[in-house]
Amino acid sequence: MAIREIVQYTDNFIRKKSKPVKIFDEKLWELLDDMWETLDEKKGAGLSAVQVGVLKRAFIININNMRIEFINPTITHTSGKQYKKEGCLSVVAQPFGYVARPNKVTISAYDRYGNPFSLTCEDWTAVCVSHEYDHLDGILYIDKLVTPPKGMEED
Ligand code: NI
C-alpha cells in the first residue's frame, strides 16, 4: 500500500471524465487500498480515483467508520434538499462552502469483486456520495456553491 499524491483543482486533470472499470482485478484492489491509505492519512470523508490521478469510475467514503467502496456507480433516485458546508481534498486552498444536495440518494454500484449492490443514504452520507459521484464527471463542489435560504444552513 502507498499514500498517493492528491490532484489539486488547479490541475485540469481533475476536470476529466472517468471511465468505467472493466476488470475487477488486483490492480483495482491496489488502487482502492492506496485510496484508503491516502484518505485515512488526510482524515477525509471521501476520495475518488481521479483525485489520485486515475480516471476510473470508483470512489470510497468513510462516514462514522462506515467504509464503502463504489465502483461504476449510478445514482438511481434522489429526493429532498439540504445545505451543508463542503470541502474537498482537491481544493485545500479554498475555504469550505455551502452546496445544495439531495437529502436522500439511492445509488447502485459494484464492490471490488464485481458484485452489484444498491444503497439508500441520507444526510451527510448523501452529501458525501453526491460529492464523490460528481468527481467522476469532473465536477467540483466549488462549481456549485450557493447561499442557503435563511434557516436552511447546516454546519
Ligand atoms: Ni472532493
Side-chain angles (χ1 to χ4, degrees), residues 20-55:
V21 170
K22 291 199 178 118
I23 306 165
F24 294 73
D25 62 357
E26 288 87 350
K27 207 175 161 202
L28 174 69
W29 305 338
E30 190 187 351
L31 167 68
L32 292 165
D33 290 345
D34 285 358
M35 284 168 65
W36 280 118
E37 199 173 343
T38 307
L39 183 67
D40 288 343
E41 200 253 345
K42 304 283 180 197
K43 298 185 172 30
L47 189 68
S48 298
V50 59
Q51 293 181 273
V52 295
V54 180
L55 290 174

Side-chain angles (χ1 to χ4, degrees), residues 7-15 89-94 140 142:
V7 179
Q8 289 301 302
Y9 72 106
T10 43
D11 184 338
N12 273 340
F13 186 88
I14 205 77
R15 296 300 186 172
L89 294 175
S90 292
V91 194
V92 290
Q94 296 259 329
L140 299 176
I142 46 174

Side-chain angles (χ1 to χ4, degrees), residues 28-41 44-52 56-63 66-71 73 89 107 110 112 117 125 128-129 131-133 135-136:
L28 174 69
W29 305 338
E30 190 187 351
L31 167 68
L32 292 165
D33 290 345
D34 285 358
M35 284 168 65
W36 280 118
E37 199 173 343
T38 307
L39 183 67
D40 288 343
E41 200 253 345
L47 189 68
S48 298
V50 59
Q51 293 181 273
V52 295
K56 287 192 162 129
R57 298 188 80 81
F59 65 77
I60 59 175
I61 64 164
N62 179 9
I63 308 264
M66 182 180 69
R67 297 162 76 88
I68 312 177
E69 300 173 344
F70 299 81
I71 322 293
L89 294 175
I107 183 166
Y110 295 85
R112 61 165 61 201
F117 67 93
T125 313
C128 196
V129 160
H131 175 121
E132 297 309 325
Y133 189 82
H135 272 300
L136 306 185

